[in-house]
Amino acid sequence: MSTYQVGYFVGSLSSTSINRTLSKALIRLAPKDLEFTELPIGNLPLYSPDFDADYPAEPAALKEAIAASSAVLFVTPEYNRSIPGALKNAIDWASRPWGQNSFNHVPAAVIGASPGQIGTALAQQSLRGVLSFCNARQMTSPEAYVTLRPGLVTDDGEVTDESTATFLTDFMQEFRDHIERVLTVLPRD
């Protein structure tokens, strides 16, 4: 059995991010052959093509971390019916300079939590469009829009509702299977 290294993005910079809490639950419920490393986005400067010839240390480290990952998982909130600026900034850094796109052929999945009923549906739609342009190999089903009400997930990632735990476990199993399918056809170097 192979072990897959999954780099994950938490799209929120908030210290009280419910998407960070969701990421803890996803890691806890994931198949044992997935190992997770957060891909930090909080210290990245704003992207500008002016840096393409000489990447700063933080964006270079982000590109290296994605290269060391078998797959990427995006756990994102919804800001103003789209993705947070910090997450888009990270994607811009990782996909540049032109011809050095870190997401090319990388297996990817998108999930997000919100206190509202649409559970990040529009942010995920926006993110999927960006990832399509970046040529990431997205898991398109199952979709997962989580309404994270208080107490559903504990601070350490335990899911308190059995049906939600089952759904998230199934999501992570499907992601694991997606990774294997993509890497069978498009192995990462």
Side-chain angles (χ1 to χ4, degrees):
M1 177 190 297
S2 296
T3 299
Y4 298 109
Q5 303 298 319
V6 177
Y8 70 97
F9 290 92
V10 175
S12 172
L13 300 181
S14 171
S15 62
T16 60
S17 168
I18 62 174
N19 282 278
R20 181 165 307 288
T21 302
L22 177 60
S23 73
K24 292 175 186 176
L26 295 170
I27 292 167
R28 183 181 214 148
L29 297 170
K32 298 303 177 208
D33 59 345
L34 298 183
E35 293 182 1
F36 294 86
T37 303
E38 185 172 355
L39 302 171
I41 63 174
N43 292 325
L44 294 170
L46 291 176
Y47 172 74
S48 169
D50 294 344
F51 293 111
D52 283 357
D54 186 21
Y55 253 45
E58 293 87 358
L62 175 65
K63 289 179 76 66
E64 289 171 12
I66 294 169
S69 301
S70 307
V72 291
L73 175 65
F74 293 86
V75 186
T76 187
E78 183 170 294
Y79 290 178
N80 299 318
R81 301 290 190 238
S82 190
I83 59 177
L87 180 57
K88 178 63 167 68
N89 185 53
I91 293 168
D92 290 345
W93 277 112
S95 64
R96 300 293 177 175
W98 189 258
Q100 298 176 35
N101 172 15
S102 298
F103 297 112
N104 189 43
H105 294 304
V106 174
V110 176
I111 189 171
S114 165
Q117 292 300 309
I118 63 171
T120 72
L122 295 173
Q124 289 187 43
Q125 181 181 21
S126 294
L127 180 53
R128 289 180 188 284
V130 173
L131 293 176
S132 290
F133 180 79
C134 292
N135 207 29
R137 299 300 172 203
Q138 297 178 64
M139 180 176 85
T140 56
S141 182
E143 294 178 316
Y145 311 108
V146 180
T147 301
L148 200 63
R149 64 183 187 280
L152 181 64
V153 180
T154 65
D155 289 342
D156 64 349
E158 182 180 349
V159 180
T160 60
D161 177 75
E162 186 176 332
S163 66
T164 301
T166 299
F167 175 77
L168 295 176
T169 299
D170 291 347
F171 178 88
M172 293 306 289
Q173 180 62 53
E174 187 64 34
F175 181 42
R176 184 252 176 250
D177 294 345
H178 174 73
I179 295 168
E180 182 176 50
R181 285 189 300 268
V182 171
L183 294 180
T184 297
V185 177
L186 300 167
R188 307 245 319 145
D189 295 330

